[in-house]
Amino acid sequence: MDIEESELGKSILNDIVKNAEIARDEQVPICQDTGFSVFFVRMGQDLRLVGGDFNDAFNEGVRQGYAEGYLRKSIVSDPLERKNTGDNTPCIINLEIVPGDKLEIQCAPKGGGSENMSEVRMLKPSDGVEGLKDFVVERVEKSGGNPCPPVIVGVGVGGTFDKCAQLAKKALLREVGSTHPSSYYAELEKELLQLVNKTGVGPQGLGGRVTALAVHIEAHPCHIASFPVAVNMQCHAARHKSIVL
Amino acid sequence: MNSNKIRIETPLTDDLVKELKIGTEVLINGTIYTGRDAAHKRMTDALAKGEKLPFDPKGQLIYYAGPTPPKPGKVIGSAGPTTSYRMNKYAPAMYDAGLKGAIGKGEMSAEVAGKLKEHTGVYFLAIGGAGALISRSITAAEVIAYEDLGPEAVRKLTVNDFPAIVVMDCYGGNLFREGIEKYKVA
């Protein structure tokens, strides 16, 4: 709020805070887009699940949660036919097998408006870090007011075409304001946030200093020929919840 | 925060729209209609076939929105705007049919800007992601068409001081362009 210079921008940021307070007090969704249900699941390899169906269990949870919570059902069964499934299923599960005997579930409902402004680009190794910076800034600039700025920018670097996109989404799970464990990436995140906030996009794309609240990066080894970079946009309604069973 | 908000009533007249220049903050009162992607496809298909829309668009505002279901005893759930550019393809036909304006978030196309000039129309921004705050200004809601579309059905809303900002006006003014230009650091 202190760094926003635009009067209209300040007023919008104020309303966003007020909205969060009303949502908390009245237990009504902060935004009507209650998202695609995305889960990140870390399953301990010593754990054995007996009976039932792993995927069905998640879908049943979504079904019950979206009905009982009066959340919006935003999923169509086929991208071309476009018939609403009526219960927000199916969900998307990213499963990772890890040592131990715990089951850790992170739920991150993802809004469509910000998702639509995301992109994967296969850069060349010669593009280097400057190429990455140009791409991230360009994506934010082109998105303008569409993803409901101020946004959180998730950046995936490396891996393959698909891995990279998943990394960008995973980057959004990190607490806003947290720093990357590697000092190199922590510095790069800081620099990217400054660059993004120089675009002038501002709150809701009407001009201002606060375009993004954070830039989070996740990196992964990649092929000698490749330099994939993915940008996953997240609006200011960044919701997640985790549980360990 | 801003005390100089203008209170306006639907349906909008040409004289009123001519006063609504970019940057003006308004409080909308009266009836507005919701419609987003799937409903717009059906409505513009209907217009192309020479059929009528589910409501008389003359002087009216359409709100690009798909609310969450109301909790018991409530009129509506969370009801913020959806991203408007997805309606770029459908909006021109709606303006040609008599629509006066729309409420959404994000910029709309040059073609839509041209229609605002041609028909003395206006495009308002409601704050994206402020669905809980906005729902407080909605006093009645009723599905009037395409119920099978669920959240995408056309709803008739009664609004009382619904907060919005004029972001594209009938003179070609565009607050996204002007605002970003002003704060961009070269």
Side-chain angles (χ1 to χ4, degrees):
Chain A
M1 205 79 76
D2 298 335
I3 54 169
E4 186 50 71
E5 292 166 23
S6 152
E7 278 307 314
L8 187 56
K10 273 187 193 173
S11 154
I12 290 169
L13 293 177
N14 253 315
D15 279 350
I16 288 173
V17 173
K18 210 192 292 173
N19 179 65
E21 288 166 358
I22 294 171
R24 181 196 60 205
D25 294 344
E26 297 182 9
Q27 289 291 296
V28 49
I30 190 167
C31 171
Q32 73 291 337
D33 186 351
T34 47
F36 209 135
S37 305
V38 178
F39 294 95
F40 282 83
V41 182
R42 286 158 60 86
M43 190 168 122
Q45 62 193 21
D46 299 333
L47 184 73
R48 196 167 157 248
L49 299 175
V50 184
D53 180 306
F54 185 80
N55 292 300
D56 283 354
F58 276 88
N59 284 326
E60 186 53 33
V62 168
R63 204 169 282 131
Q64 288 179 20
Y66 275 70
E68 288 164 19
Y70 297 94
L71 306 183
R72 195 179 76 183
K73 289 79 182 172
S74 313
I75 307 303
V76 289
S77 58
D78 180 276
L80 292 173
E81 240 179 281
R82 305 202 74 83
K83 195 172 176 320
N84 199 303
T85 62
D87 57 10
N88 218 56
T89 64
C91 62
I92 290 180
I93 303 171
N94 295 290
L95 180 63
E96 206 182 332
I97 306 288
V98 295
D101 61 357
K102 299 266 187 295
L103 184 66
E104 185 192 336
I105 303 169
Q106 270 188 300
C107 172
K110 186 66 176 72
S114 53
E115 193 74 355
N116 284 345
M117 293 298 117
S118 307
E119 187 182 346
V120 179
R121 203 176 281 181
M122 304 306 281
L123 299 181
K124 299 183 295 297
S126 64
D127 291 327
V129 72
E130 291 307 315
L132 177 149
K133 288 185 213 168
D134 288 348
F135 172 43
V136 173
V137 172
E138 180 198 315
R139 191 82 290 284
V140 171
E141 231 170 355
K142 279 193 176 160
S143 301
N146 296 327
C148 290
V151 292
I152 298 154
V153 185
V155 182
V157 194
T160 50
F161 175 77
D162 51 325
K163 176 73 184 177
C164 176
Q166 208 187 49
L167 290 172
K169 178 148 273 99
K170 202 173 165 190
L172 296 174
L173 295 177
R174 252 176 56 203
E175 198 66 37
V176 172
S178 64
T179 44
H180 197 282
S182 131
S183 60
Y184 175 79
Y185 281 111
E187 274 308 306
L188 185 56
E189 286 179 349
K190 232 162 92 183
E191 190 189 346
L192 277 171
L193 180 61
Q194 280 169 358
L195 289 172
V196 161
N197 284 338
K198 279 184 182 169
T199 58
V201 169
Q204 296 293 309
L206 296 178
R209 296 274 169 253
V210 186
T211 303
L213 302 170
V215 177
H216 292 167
I217 306 175
E218 282 282 326
H220 195 82
C222 69
H223 192 281
I224 48 174
S226 307
F227 181 29
V229 180
V231 177
N232 196 191
M233 295 289 225
Q234 170 66 58
C235 60
H236 59 82
R239 301 155 287 199
H240 10 88
K241 184 90 187 158
S242 60
I243 186 169
V244 179
L245 300 172
Chain B
M1 179 137 182
N2 203 315
S3 55
N4 47 11
K5 289 180 181 173
I6 308 181
R7 192 165 271 133
I8 62 171
E9 296 252 358
T10 62
L12 305 185
T13 61
D14 280 7
D15 285 345
L16 174 63
V17 173
K18 284 178 189 161
E19 284 176 39
L20 300 176
K21 293 186 181 147
I22 55 167
T24 308
E25 294 188 67
V26 298
L27 297 167
I28 304 167
N29 288 270
T31 299
I32 61 174
Y33 298 89
T34 68
R36 44 175 292 151
D37 311 60
H40 269 83
K41 183 170 184 343
R42 282 198 196 171
M43 287 192 286
T44 51
D45 282 352
L47 287 172
K49 280 188 256 171
E51 294 167 7
K52 276 190 167 174
L53 292 179
F55 61 93
D56 179 4
K58 217 169 161 12
Q60 296 298 343
L61 289 177
I62 196 153
Y63 181 25
Y64 302 144
T68 61
K71 284 191 163 179
K74 297 279 183 184
V75 165
I76 202 163
S78 192
T82 196
T83 324
S84 306
Y85 76 89
R86 297 195 314 271
M87 264 51 78
N88 281 340
K89 183 179 169 186
Y90 309 116
M94 296 294 288
Y95 284 108
D96 289 341
L99 191 76
K100 213 66 190 144
I103 311 165
K105 67 173 170 90
E107 194 178 352
M108 294 196 77
S109 67
E111 191 189 359
V112 172
K115 288 292 172 189
L116 298 182
K117 271 188 175 176
E118 185 186 335
H119 297 294
T120 320
V122 58
Y123 170 54
F124 300 99
L125 178 135
I127 299 177
L133 176 73
I134 291 167
S135 69
R136 282 192 161 180
S137 62
I138 300 168
T139 57
E142 178 197 352
V143 172
I144 58 160
Y146 316 144
E147 192 157 12
D148 61 299
L149 295 180
E152 298 200 75
V154 173
R155 287 169 172 81
K156 179 181 172 184
L157 306 181
T158 309
V159 293
N160 182 16
D161 286 350
F162 180 107
I165 307 161
V166 178
V167 288
M168 289 171 71
D169 61 29
C170 65
Y171 305 100
N174 180 325
L175 193 58
F176 298 97
R177 300 283 165 92
E178 284 192 18
I180 295 171
E181 198 52 46
K182 192 169 159 194
Y183 290 97
K184 189 177 164 71
V185 182

